[in-house]
């Protein structure tokens, strides 16, 4: 492999050809190629390896920096936060940011390792070729492995790629309540290949990341309790809305819920007419994952207040026509019975 024989210079070996032109000595030309040409080529390949690796690592660092910032802002508006509420919000923002930074750095290290491995394989093969090793079997083996992965591991590759982007974009994390289509519940574990979550019934779902087409996260930044109240058609809507505002504001001012309800409640007004009654809506902006508890507490207070004010909560009604046997002509005919 390193012999200085009298074989002619191979195509592309410029140093060998140049020395041959200068000295007209094939042995010296071959020796120059082995002692100068090949080491110089290998050195250039190594330099190119480190340059490309540095550039790609810089790209990964930029991606990690953008992933650390997240897809959503770290902080929500502090309007309406009071006392401990602001402290709770800042602590939650810090915990979320810390989790996002750790996950982004982990993914950055993984990508850098993958890039380094691929570059070593490519440039290692090129260096072996310069040393005279027959790389045809290596390339053939790589091609066979690539074909096998392409046909046999498509879903696995899809899962891993989806997992990488989910983690980079911080779409969800452990402890978040999400809806991923076929399943919804609390996230218990997230890996590059699969997401594990537990629903309200206690069932554990294992969802491949490549099968997740959309994610609804109910616990990022803030949440909203939406409470619909249905009243009868005979009620004074202006009075009902005033009562709802009063009840919601009392909840907002309650020390037990201070820092949980983070903005002034809003009564949006009439949302729907249907045969059973009129639906009005109350909105309360809450800390993440507190919307359900706040909605339950508000419904209890509305029921008690409506009972005190004499406001009727609508219930389904039917009109039943009762046919009575007639012995003769009757002016009444059929009379409705309201149930």
């Amino acid at each position: 492999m390193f012999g200085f024989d009298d074989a002619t210079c191979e195509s592309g070996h410029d140093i060998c050809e140049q020395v041959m032109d200068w000295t007209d000595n094939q042995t010296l030309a071959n020796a120059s190629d082995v002692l100068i040409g090949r080491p110089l080529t290998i050195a250039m390949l190594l330099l190119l390896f480190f340059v490309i690796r540095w550039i790609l690592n810089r790209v990964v660092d930029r991606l990690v920096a953008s992933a650390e910032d997240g897809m959503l802002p770290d902080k929500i508006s502090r309007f309406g936060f009071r006392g401990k509420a602001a402290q709770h919000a800042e602590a939650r923002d810090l915990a979320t940011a810390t989790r996002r930074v750790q996950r982004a750095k982990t993914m950055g290290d993984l990508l850098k390792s993958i890039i380094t491995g691929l570059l070593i394989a490519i440039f290692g093969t090129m260096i072996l070729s310069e040393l005279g090793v027959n790389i045809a079997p290596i390339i053939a083996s790589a091609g066979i492995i690539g074909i096998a992965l392409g046909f046999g591991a498509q879903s696995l590759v899809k899962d891993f790629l989806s997992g990488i982007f989910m983690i980079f974009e911080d779409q969800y994390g452990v402890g978040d309540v999400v809806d991923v289509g076929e399943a919804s519940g609390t996230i218990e574990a997230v890996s590059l290949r699969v997401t594990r979550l537990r629903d309200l019934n206690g069932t554990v779902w294992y969802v491949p990341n490549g099968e997740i087409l959309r994610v609804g996260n109910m616990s990022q930044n803030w949440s909203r309790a939406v409470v619909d109240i249905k009243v009868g058609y005979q009620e004074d809507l202006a009075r009902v809305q005033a009562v709802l505002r009063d009840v919601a504001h009392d909840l907002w001012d309650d020390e037990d819920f201070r820092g949980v309800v983070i903005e002034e409640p809003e009564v949006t007004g009439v949302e729907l007419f249907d045969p059973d009654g009129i639906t009005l809506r109350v909105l309360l902006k809450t800390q993440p994952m507190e919307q359900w508890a706040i909605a339950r507490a508000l419904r209890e207070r509305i029921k008690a207040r409506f009972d005190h004010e004499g406001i009727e909560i609508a219930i389904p009604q039917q009109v039943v026509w009762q046919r009575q046997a007639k012995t003769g002509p009757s002016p009444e005919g059929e009379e409705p019975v309201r149930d």
Side-chain angles (χ1 to χ4, degrees), residues 126-263:
M126 296 172 67
I127 290 173
L128 289 177
S129 177
E130 284 296 324
L131 294 175
V133 177
N134 184 11
I135 62 172
I138 299 176
I139 297 177
S141 299
I144 293 173
I145 294 174
I147 294 174
L149 288 176
F151 283 99
Q154 295 182 53
S155 60
L156 185 62
V157 173
K158 180 181 177 182
D159 293 341
F160 271 94
L161 291 177
S162 299
I164 289 173
F165 284 108
M166 285 179 182
I167 293 176
F168 258 122
E169 296 169 0
D170 193 34
Q171 296 180 13
Y172 52 77
V174 175
D176 287 349
V177 178
V178 300
D179 181 349
V180 294
E182 294 295 329
S184 61
T186 303
I187 298 293
E188 292 190 340
V190 179
S191 66
L192 289 179
R193 194 187 71 83
V194 69
T195 294
R196 188 180 80 221
L197 66 155
R198 187 181 299 271
D199 66 15
L200 188 62
N201 297 321
T203 303
V204 177
W205 295 84
Y206 295 87
V207 185
N209 294 330
E211 301 298 323
I212 301 176
L213 302 180
R214 60 33 166 203
V215 178
N217 194 324
M218 292 172 271
S219 50
Q220 278 190 342
N221 292 109
W222 54 271
S223 300
R224 175 171 282 137
V226 181
V227 179
D228 289 336
I229 304 298
K230 188 176 294 187
V231 299
Y233 278 96
Q234 73 277 7
E235 300 297 337
D236 182 353
L237 294 183
R239 175 169 172 258
V240 172
Q241 292 185 61
V243 171
L244 289 175
R245 290 191 187 94
D246 191 31
V247 174
H249 195 275
D250 288 343
L251 183 68
W252 155 256
D253 284 333
D254 194 327
E255 288 293 334
D256 293 337
F257 298 99
R258 182 159 300 206
V260 180
V261 181
I262 61 180
E263 284 190 8

Side-chain angles (χ1 to χ4, degrees), residues 1 41 43 54 122 144 201 207 214 228 261 270 300 316 334 336:
M1 181 172 60
T41 301
W54 180 83
I122 294 172
I144 293 173
N201 297 321
V207 185
R214 60 33 166 203
D228 289 336
V261 181
V270 177
E300 291 177 3
E334 299 174 347

Side-chain angles (χ1 to χ4, degrees), residues 78-99:
R78 292 285 178 257
F79 175 77
F81 276 64
R82 300 165 291 173
K84 294 183 179 179
Q87 298 177 6
H88 292 328
E90 291 176 0
R92 184 178 65 251
D93 292 338
L94 179 61
T96 301
T98 302
R99 183 192 74 183

